[in-house]
Amino acid sequence: MLTRLVLTDFRNHADAVLAPGPGFVMLTGENGAGKTNILEAVSLLAPGRGLRRASLSAMARQGGSGGFGVAAQLDDGVEIATGTQAAAPERRIVRVQGAGAAATALAERLTLIWLTPAMDRLFAGTAGDRRRFLDRLTLALFPGHAVHANRYEAASRARNRLLAEMQSGKRGDPAWLDALEHQLAGHGAAIDAARRELVTALGARLAAAPEGPFARAGLALEGWQGEAEALAAALRSGRARDAAAGRALSGPHRSDLAVTHLAKAQPAALCSTGEQKALLLALILAHAELVAERTGRAPVLLLDEVAAHLDPARRAALFDRLAGRGQVWMTGTEAALFAGAPGTHVALPLDGGARPAESVRP
């Protein structure tokens, strides 16, 4: 868990320091105080683009230095940090114990899972959104998943460029094309295998869960699946087709996460907005428990405005289920939303954190 968080010129926070304790970390304040911004800062302490998927330059505070910094100390004493500099606003810098590191190294130090209001329509959104969500869940169990995903994307971009050049009449290098497809096949098979292991384990946990205040979800991974050899063969035979399409039409980037409301035997995409939110919350809770069981390390949960959308009974059930299961960051406009959830309460000033936010333990 995090024991200290320092933000410098991040979003609306010029200089904020928080000292969260174990259990619940409740961020309260009026709209515009920067509660979600703090969760976004924490989410950057993992590989990827954070919970908003914003550009790095958009995260730097207006009127600030032009860059930003997010630093944290973990309960094992390790210090991790990320940020940018004004000279290169879209180049992310990562440090572990003061030394430069790749962003993928963060997954070995801290496991983060988040739920935001923007994710409420995940099941009715695009397959790409669901793949990114699935990859975030998979990364929590398999830290090496980020490496495979990054290298797969890089090889895919290089292959697309080479196919486009060859289609336009330029002479390409067949050996280089073979090498790229070999890389795609290896990383693609690893991505698919990790996703399927996660979906199988999480689906079994959800299916076996008793009926309760949160809906039970059924999971399945649809679309492409296969071994490295099969993907390599599909890429070789599909070069002309892929060149015309401008992208590979075979591979794990064509997969989709299918979610079903088990009690109603209905696809999540056809459920009501309230049912979809309940399914998503049930999925996140079951995943957090699975990660803690498999790794021996509870993930840090970032739950943005989750309490405001639950009735008192479900809110109490949520707090009861999360109690003693690691550090849980939650945001809300009123402290009353978190009645019965002991932990660190951080009241944010409306001026956007121009001074350090103070933490108190009730």
Side-chain angles (χ1 to χ4, degrees):
M1 69 174 189
L2 282 70
T3 58
R4 182 177 173 83
L5 177 69
V6 180
L7 310 185
T8 304
D9 282 338
F10 185 83
R11 294 288 189 182
N12 66 324
H13 296 286
D15 182 16
V17 180
L18 288 81
F24 297 103
V25 181
M26 297 153 284
L27 308 177
T28 61
E30 297 181 32
N31 293 329
K35 303 181 295 295
T36 303
N37 292 342
I38 290 179
L39 295 193
E40 182 183 30
V42 176
S43 74
L44 290 178
L45 297 174
R49 294 171 56 186
L51 58 80
R52 283 193 176 108
R53 291 188 55 78
S55 65
L56 292 171
S57 58
M59 301 176 192
R61 187 175 66 91
Q62 294 184 8
S65 64
F68 71 85
V70 177
Q73 184 171 49
L74 308 182
D75 56 338
D76 60 2
V78 172
E79 295 181 351
I80 57 178
T82 189
T84 63
Q85 296 178 341
E90 291 295 346
R91 179 177 175 270
R92 184 177 181 183
I93 300 170
V94 174
R95 297 191 183 281
V96 177
Q97 292 291 71
T104 52
L106 295 172
E108 300 173 3
R109 300 293 183 177
L110 186 65
T111 302
L112 292 165
I113 301 296
W114 53 78
L115 183 60
T116 70
M119 295 166 63
D120 285 356
R121 300 294 293 174
L122 177 72
F123 306 127
T126 68
D129 290 338
R130 288 185 291 276
R131 279 194 301 273
R132 283 190 289 272
F133 173 71
L134 175 60
D135 283 336
R136 176 60 55 189
L137 300 184
T138 304
L139 178 64
L141 275 185
F142 306 103
H145 188 67
V147 175
H148 288 297
N150 289 343
R151 291 180 179 174
Y152 182 88
E153 290 178 5
S156 181
R157 288 193 298 268
R159 178 178 182 267
N160 291 342
R161 287 194 299 269
L162 185 56
L163 287 176
E165 291 174 359
M166 294 172 70
Q167 189 181 44
S168 66
K170 294 182 180 179
R171 182 178 179 180
D173 184 350
W176 177 230
L177 187 56
D178 288 341
L180 288 172
E181 290 173 347
H182 178 75
Q183 292 177 36
L184 280 168
H187 294 303
I191 290 169
D192 180 67
R195 286 175 177 171
R196 291 189 182 279
E197 185 172 345
L198 181 279
V199 167
T200 299
L202 184 56
R205 177 176 286 270
L206 286 163
E211 294 291 345
F214 305 108
R216 291 190 304 132
L219 303 181
L221 188 58
E222 298 180 341
W224 183 89
Q225 62 176 308
E227 301 295 331
E229 293 79 4
L231 180 53
L235 291 170
R236 281 194 301 271
S237 64
R239 288 174 180 176
R241 180 193 62 179
D242 293 350
R247 65 189 185 281
L249 298 181
S250 295
H253 62 286
R254 305 283 289 177
S255 301
D256 194 3
L257 176 66
V259 180
T260 304
H261 191 305
L262 290 179
K264 299 179 67 173
Q266 184 175 3
L270 300 180
C271 293
S272 69
T273 301
E275 288 173 328
Q276 290 180 4
K277 189 175 187 68
L279 287 168
L280 188 56
L281 187 54
L283 203 160
I284 290 292
L285 293 174
H287 178 263
E289 293 166 356
L290 176 64
V291 171
E293 179 183 287
R294 287 280 192 96
T295 68
R297 181 179 70 182
V300 174
L301 295 182
L302 309 177
L303 306 178
D304 192 20
E305 299 290 349
V306 68
H309 300 285
L310 298 175
D311 57 52
R314 284 186 172 83
R315 198 181 304 150
L318 175 65
F319 296 158
D320 182 64
R321 187 164 175 181
L322 291 174
R325 296 186 180 275
Q327 195 174 58
V328 182
W329 295 62
M330 297 182 290
T331 64
T333 55
E334 303 174 16
L337 291 170
F338 305 113
T344 307
H345 178 211
V346 182
L348 299 182
L350 187 58
D351 61 14
R355 58 184 178 278
E358 295 184 359
S359 304
V360 295
R361 304 275 183 88

